[in-house]
Structure formats: C-alpha cells, structure tokens
Amino acid sequence: MTDSVVTRFAPSPTGFLHIGGARTALFNWLYAKKTGGKMLLRIEDTDRERSTEPAIAAILDGLKWLELDWDGDVIYQFSRAARHREVAEQLLAAGKAYRCYATAEELTAMREKARAEGRTRLYDGLWRDRDPAEAPAGMKPTIRLKAELTGETVIEDQVQGRVVWQNENLDDLVLLRGDGNPTYMLAVVVDDHDMGVSHVIRGDDHLNNAFRQLAIIRSMGWPEPIYAHVPLIHGPDGAKLSKRHGAMGVDAYRDELGLLPEAVGNYLLRLGWGHGDDEIISREQAIEWFDLANVGKSPSRFDFKKLENLNGHYIREADDERLAELVAPSLSLSDAQKILLRQAMPELKARAHTLNQVADGARFLFERRPIEIDDAAAALLSDEARQMLGSAHAKLGALAEWDAAALEAAIREVAESSGVKLGKLAQPLRAALTGRTTSPGIFDVLALLGRDESLARIADQMEPNE
C-alpha cells in the first residue's frame, strides 16, 4: 500500500450521472482511499454536440451528494486537444503511425468485406505502407496507429482475470480524424498517462477498448496501468439496466424518490462487491474492507425494493433535525411548523422507507380544518363511531394535562365505557384527526396536534352523516 495509487472517474457529460457511473466512481474512490492514493475526475467532453453544461453540473452535484470527493481540479478533456494531437504527431514521426487517405467509399467496402468474411479487423491496411505521394490531391488524411499484426496482447485484469486478445484482430485505429480532432481512444490514453493514473477501474463494456489503448501505450513506451473491468448492472430480470429498472440520474434518486446518499452508497457498494454476509456497511468500513479481488465477475442485478428497505434503515438511524431539514421544503412550512415536524420525526421516520413517505406521513399535522377525509377513513366514521368521538371529545376536553400518560388513560377509559376494544375507538379517532387510516400512534397524534387542534378536528366529525 503506497501513495502512488491514482484512480480516475471519467464520465461523458452527455446526460445525467447514472447509477452505473455512480458505482464506478464509488469503486474508484474507495480503492484510492483504501490505498492512501488519489481519485481524479476527468470530464470527457470531446463530443461537443452532446456535451452540455447542465450535464456537467449534474455529474458534479451527484458526486458531491454521494460524498465522493475528488483530488485536485476537474480535468476537461476537450481543453487538452492540442496535447492529444502532439502525441499523434510523435507517433507519426517515430514511424509508429501513418497517414491514411482512404475515402469513405473505400472504408465502407472494407468493412462490408471484413464482416462478410467474419473478420473483426475492419481496416485492411490500405495506406499502412503506401507512399503518401500517391495521396489524392486536396484530401485531409486521418492518422492511424500501426497496430501489431501478430502475437497476442494479455491483460491481467484485477476483476476479469487473465484476458487474451489476438493481435491479428486489432485494427489500425484512427488517432486523429481528417479535421485534426483526436479520437476518444487517443485522448483517454494520453490523459491517463499525463494524469499519472495507475489503476483504470471501469465498466467491462470497456474491456475491448483496453487492448486498443494498450497498443497506443506500448507504442509510446509508457507505463501500463493496472486494469479492473467491473461487470455492468442489470435489471431484476437479467436484462441490461434501463429506465424501467431504475436507470435514472442520481439526482432523481434524491429528488424524486427521496433516498438518502448513505443508503444509495451502501447499496451501490453491495452491487457486485461483498464482505461476507454484511449488508449495512458504513463508509469507514467500506474503505477498510474494499478490495478489487472481491468484485464479482458476473453482472449484478438492481433491486429497487432492496434499495428502498435499506434506505428505511438509514432513515431510522438518521438525525431528526437533518431529516426535518430535508423534508420541510416539500411541505412549504413556516418556522413554527418546522419545529412541529422535528418533534414528530421520531414517530414519522419509524414507518417510512423514503423521505417522500416521511413527508406524506407528516402532512396531516399541517392541514387546515376541516381536513380532507379519504374514502378509507370516511368508511370508519359510522354513526356509532361518531357517538364515541363525542364521548372522547368530552373526556379529552376535561383533561388538566395534555400529556402522553393522561391522553392514553382518557382514551382507554372511553373505550371501556363504550364497551369496545381500544382499536375500535382508535380507528375512527385516527380518521377524524388525520383523515387517514394510517398514522403514528394515536396518543402521539393527539400530543403532536395539541389540545385545541385535536379537539377541533374531533368536533368536526362528531355530527352524524345527513
């Protein structure tokens, strides 16, 4: 374990920070922390048509929300285009790259022929050893790497194990396009080298790219990074993760679903990595335990219900003041109402799996009279129930102290005198006080609403139906 470990997270800002990207960032961050190294952040914004400032902002915001801080300044790939071109020119000067003047029609014909013959090498080396003097006038060439034609390339991947690629299947990949712009393959290699990246931890959809990128690295004589290609996340049905499975932006998990960052982080950690049977893992434990050797080789399956249940655990463990601050904006509360929300939080969070459920459970506290009674609650307010509400109103109104012990004693006494079990009275009482059939305990509801509001809400429902 040395401080020489450098990982990087390198998203393309063409959309939100999706859940798979967040897990990649987490694994890079954990490995850097575990080894006393650094995690760098590079925004791969070379696709100028699709890269957007809002997407960049969403990526940075998502990482900050998940508390995945990076080291140093953010690197923007597009700003380094001159450096990428410089390396392409170096390879050209060293005879390890060449100018290609193949036309679009020629390239199409090559690809079609290769596919018809079942070959993965799509470019046939037309300009590899040809005299540039034969080039058509006025045509701007691409610059291609001279790939190895024989032998094999081996990667000892930290997750996938030993992976072998036959060099005869490697194309002479394009380094610079005809307009002088560097390709993704070249830019990634140059940036990783210049940033001192020692470990490339990314999705296994990039495994084939690794062999092409290694060809550039070896042509330049640069140190080779250690690779770890992590299997992708699939949906519960085993299919590629899509929006219907939960492939939303990290911001949606926060803003739309009401999840806590520590729950999302814990869940992502367990998607494809494990430490025995441990499910609840703190960030400190994750740093201590994380190891690439324990990343599985098979795709993991996204289970939203499991994520929601895990979030429920973290909500119950969370500080009440923090939860109140997170929930309050969705309820548009005054300062006084925020105090009430904070007081109610121990009861509210005990029944919730998401912040949305906490907010929904709290709404009855702030409704104006007469409160709306939903259909299920209205069905509990029979004439008999309304008569019991009248008895409860009288008993509660006579209380000298409005505290938990006195409230419970009063309600139990009314139930007993009415000849019913406590639940038979508590259900219509809950309906009258909250407008719903579910809520915190009825004595807690009475205590939170206070004497005046509780008595007024009960009175609103005491009259029989017309």
Side-chain angles (χ1 to χ4, degrees), residues 200-219:
V200 174
I201 304 169
R202 57 189 178 185
D204 66 1
D205 52 333
H206 286 282
L207 182 55
N208 286 347
N209 288 343
F211 295 99
R212 297 173 171 87
Q213 291 162 4
L214 265 178
I216 302 174
I217 293 170
R218 291 174 177 175
S219 294

Side-chain angles (χ1 to χ4, degrees), residues 2-32:
T2 69
D3 59 1
S4 62
V5 168
V6 178
T7 68
R8 49 77 160 173
F9 177 53
S12 298
T14 55
F16 48 68
L17 173 61
H18 60 81
I19 207 71
R23 187 189 62 170
T24 298
L26 174 64
F27 283 9
N28 275 279
W29 187 89
L30 286 172
Y31 192 73

Side-chain angles (χ1 to χ4, degrees), residues 358-412:
V358 174
D360 189 56
R363 292 185 195 284
F364 79 90
L365 292 169
F366 312 110
E367 291 185 4
R368 293 184 178 182
R369 295 181 42 243
I371 66 170
E372 183 178 345
I373 309 293
D374 68 27
D375 291 342
L380 297 173
L381 296 173
S382 63
D383 290 345
E384 178 187 2
R386 292 177 192 274
Q387 290 178 357
M388 286 194 292
L389 289 180
S391 300
H393 186 276
K395 190 70 176 178
L396 292 170
L399 289 177
E401 299 292 334
W402 195 268
D403 57 35
L407 291 168
E408 181 173 356
I411 296 303
R412 290 188 180 279

Side-chain angles (χ1 to χ4, degrees), residues 20 40 110 147 172 193 204 236 250 254 277 289-290 343 378:
L40 307 180
M110 287 180 211
D172 287 355
H193 172 264
D204 66 1
V250 167
R254 176 190 63 197
D277 295 328
W289 294 341
F290 187 78
Q343 293 171 342

